[in-house]
Amino acid sequence: MGFARTWAVALVGLDGAMVEVEADIGQTLPAFSIVGLPDAALNEARERLRAAARNSGMPLSPRKLTVNLSPATLPKRGSLFDLAIVLSALQAAGSVPATGRTVFLAELGLDGALRPVRGILPAVMAAVRAGHERIVVCEANAAEAALVPGARVAGYGCLAEVLAAAGADPQGLRRPAPADPSGAVPSCADPSCAVPSAAGPGGPGPGRTAPDGTAAGAAAHTDPDLADVAGQEDGRLALEIAAAGGHHLLMVGPPGSGKTMLAERLPGLLPDLEDDAAMEVTAIHSLGGPAQRRTALIRRPPFEAPHHTVSSAALFGGGTGIPRPGAASRAHRGVLFLDEAPEFDRGVIDALRQPLESGRVTIDRAVASAVYPARFQLVLAANPCPCGQSAGRGADCTCTPRVRRSYFGKLSGPLLDRVDLQISVPKVSYGELASGAGRAEPTAAVAARVAAARGAQAERLRRLGLRTNAELGTVLLHGPLRPPRAVTAPLERAMDRGALTARGHQRVLRVAWTLADLDGRGVPVVDDVDTALYFRSLVPA
């Protein structure tokens, strides 16, 4: 009887901390206890782990088994500690050789099968940063774990395979029964079960690696084409500007005018994510979505469109224990679309002001605090009034002025001041619909101009650590990137009239830089500033 140690990872938000899984076998009466701030799911794992080890042919010691998850002050949650606990217990009993600094991340079934867990990508990233290169996971998580540079990943289907690869005696080890009830249960004495070690002393071998490709079961997705949108010249131009500079957008118009169609076509104009952004986005979706077979980084900017009844916890993140990311973080480096924006709870939508400025969401709970990135493009769509008919051709609005003001007033001034582009989307006439449907400029042509503008921004902003014009701050816009005084004269007049705030002044300059990039100019001109001001004055008061 003795003591052994293995390694796992505890996630708090996207940050992972290494956890030493220590097992001690004593001489007293039989017992199995897990200490070190485990949550309820982890505390209930004891009988599951006993059954998994027994059904794999290598039962845990019948004596007092104490498992400590160190550091003891860090909350531990979920089932990804299962495999590390069983390996440490069997090593303490002398049934399995020590595995050194190998990290084990998998859930166990009662039959010993390894099951995938959420958050495998950020967990492996944390392990590699801490110097643990050998990682053992469920084979369904293997391809996702292998996306992390520097990780030596081994994927297995069951506990018996892990034990055989770690150096345990294969005699008597059993794999789970196959799904076909007529199939025989193979023993790990068979060559097909034992996996030869290739990770060096003290570490399991490479296991079975899943093929590359997209997530299993994911259907091929094609972004909607901008050519389907008839008319709406201002809306199409605003969408192009928003995509080119990463700007936020508000569209106000009657029902059926095409606001949702425009918003849904914005992701198709955005370029693919670069490696670091793709890794960040994939890590968020790995942690916030269901456990699944993910075999490639998410390269397309995500699109999130929560319903207007969404709660604050669903939009920004939350839940019991350690909070999980919400829709705002899942839209990181992509688009967060809020349709029927005035119908959202006032407190929920106003809470967007902080992530719009900082690009992250901080969620404080009694157990722990989590910080998630949330640098998204916000797209708001709204009717001008409850009946939706106070604007447009031939409109017959039944709402009183007070009702209209109250309805649109749910979008607070401080929130709208952070939205760079604010446009009116009128109804489409029959002539525009008949002549423009399917004949407008397609997404591919507009996306090419957006890509060229993004390239110009990257060249100008790379040394500043920025990606898009939407990230430009006051210091830069009033310093090295300040246009000539003659160019900014319209802004001075707008501020003197009280039509523009200091923040609005900054937003107009950001849009002016994007217009210059779209036209291939090295610096904004007066027309760019006038156009940027125009796109902040189209929303009816």
Side-chain angles (χ1 to χ4, degrees):
M1 304 304 167
F3 169 86
R5 175 189 293 112
T6 56
W7 295 89
V9 177
L11 289 172
V12 180
L14 287 184
D15 298 324
M18 297 308 303
V19 173
E20 296 181 65
V21 182
E22 302 171 320
D24 178 78
I25 298 178
Q27 301 291 335
T28 56
L29 294 175
F32 186 177
S33 59
I34 300 176
V35 298
L37 281 186
D39 69 347
L42 188 50
N43 241 331
E44 293 174 354
R46 292 169 294 182
E47 293 307 313
R48 182 174 72 246
L49 301 186
R50 280 198 184 278
R54 182 179 64 252
N55 291 327
S56 297
M58 190 170 288
L60 301 181
S61 170
R63 294 189 178 272
K64 180 176 176 59
L65 173 60
T66 303
V67 174
N68 178 44
L69 306 177
S70 178
T73 56
L74 180 69
K76 323 295 188 308
R77 67 185 300 270
S79 58
L80 99 168
F81 297 93
D82 286 5
L83 186 57
I85 291 174
V86 169
L87 263 293
S88 65
L90 292 175
Q91 289 175 30
S95 304
V96 179
T99 52
R101 294 176 62 81
T102 302
V103 177
F104 298 92
L105 305 169
E107 179 184 331
L108 283 170
L110 290 177
D111 59 354
L114 267 60
R115 294 174 178 170
V117 293
R118 290 191 290 191
I120 201 69
L121 187 65
V124 174
M125 292 168 62
V128 171
R129 282 196 300 266
H132 297 257
E133 298 179 353
R134 295 195 301 267
I135 316 290
V136 174
V137 298
C138 169
E139 61 183 354
N141 283 146
E144 180 179 341
L147 296 173
V148 180
R152 298 166 59 191
V153 177
Y156 298 97
C158 65
L159 176 59
E161 293 180 2
V162 177
L163 297 176
D169 184 0
Q171 295 295 330
L173 291 179
R174 297 191 302 272
R175 287 190 293 177
D180 182 2
S182 64
V185 180
S187 166
C188 274
D190 299 336
S192 62
C193 183
V195 182
S197 176
R208 295 191 294 270
T209 303
D212 291 334
T214 56
H221 176 71
T222 303
D223 291 316
D225 201 309
L226 198 56
D228 299 334
V229 180
Q232 304 300 358
E233 295 304 318
D234 280 347
R236 294 171 60 91
L237 178 56
L239 205 68
E240 181 176 345
I241 297 169
H247 303 289
H248 308 307
L249 173 64
L250 165 67
M251 296 179 287
V252 179
S257 57
K259 303 184 296 294
T260 302
M261 285 187 70
L262 286 167
E264 289 175 344
R265 281 147 181 80
L266 178 56
L269 302 180
L270 302 176
D272 286 348
L273 300 176
E274 298 177 356
D275 289 345
D276 56 343
M279 186 70 74
E280 210 172 28
V281 169
T282 308
I284 294 171
H285 285 257
S286 172
L287 185 64
Q292 60 176 303
R293 189 185 296 269
R294 191 184 303 279
T295 59
L297 293 176
I298 297 174
R299 291 289 181 180
R300 293 300 302 148
F303 180 81
E304 291 285 331
H307 192 261
H308 64 260
T309 58
V310 68
S311 66
S312 179
L315 185 59
F316 299 105
T320 58
I322 299 174
R324 289 194 177 149
S329 292
R330 294 197 301 273
H332 179 60
R333 301 296 180 191
V335 178
L336 179 64
F337 175 47
L338 303 185
D339 201 2
E340 305 294 344
E343 299 293 347
F344 282 74
D345 182 83
R346 174 72 179 263
V348 170
I349 200 168
D350 265 354
L352 286 168
R353 286 147 58 177
Q354 182 180 358
L356 286 180
E357 293 290 342
S358 65
R360 64 181 182 271
V361 171
T362 303
I363 310 166
D364 293 316
R365 293 292 184 269
V367 175
S369 295
V371 179
Y372 292 108
R375 191 167 293 282
F376 51 82
Q377 282 185 251
L378 178 64
V379 178
L380 302 170
N383 295 323
C385 64
C387 78
Q389 302 301 324
S390 66
R393 301 168 183 147
D396 186 16
C397 178
T398 60
C399 303
T400 64
R402 179 178 179 180
V403 168
R404 287 198 295 268
R405 287 195 301 270
S406 174
Y407 176 78
F408 201 75
K410 294 179 183 178
L411 301 179
S412 68
L415 174 66
L416 295 182
D417 203 30
R418 289 168 167 83
V419 179
D420 305 357
L421 303 164
Q422 303 176 17
I423 67 167
S424 179
V425 182
K427 285 184 177 179
V428 178
S429 67
Y430 176 77
E432 291 173 323
L433 184 63
S435 63
R439 299 186 183 91
E441 194 174 27
T443 291
V446 180
R449 294 197 296 270
V450 169
R454 288 281 184 117
Q457 292 169 58
E459 186 68 26
R460 181 173 64 248
L461 303 177
R462 184 177 292 112
R463 60 186 176 84
L464 302 173
L466 305 178
R467 299 171 185 264
T468 62
N469 289 330
E471 300 174 48
L472 293 175
T474 304
V475 174
L476 293 173
L477 291 172
H478 290 274
L481 296 182
R482 181 186 180 93
R485 178 76 179 273
V487 173
T488 60
L491 292 181
E492 296 178 14
R493 292 193 293 270
M495 290 192 71
D496 289 342
R497 294 196 309 271
L500 201 64
T501 66
R503 182 185 288 116
H505 177 277
Q506 174 182 311
R507 302 281 170 164
V508 170
L509 284 179
R510 291 176 176 180
V511 174
W513 271 104
T514 299
L515 288 165
D517 291 330
L518 283 169
D519 287 340
R521 291 188 293 272
V523 66
V525 297
V526 175
D527 285 346
D528 296 328
V529 173
D530 285 338
T531 303
L533 279 170
Y534 171 76
F535 278 116
R536 283 187 71 89
S537 60
L538 293 183
V539 174

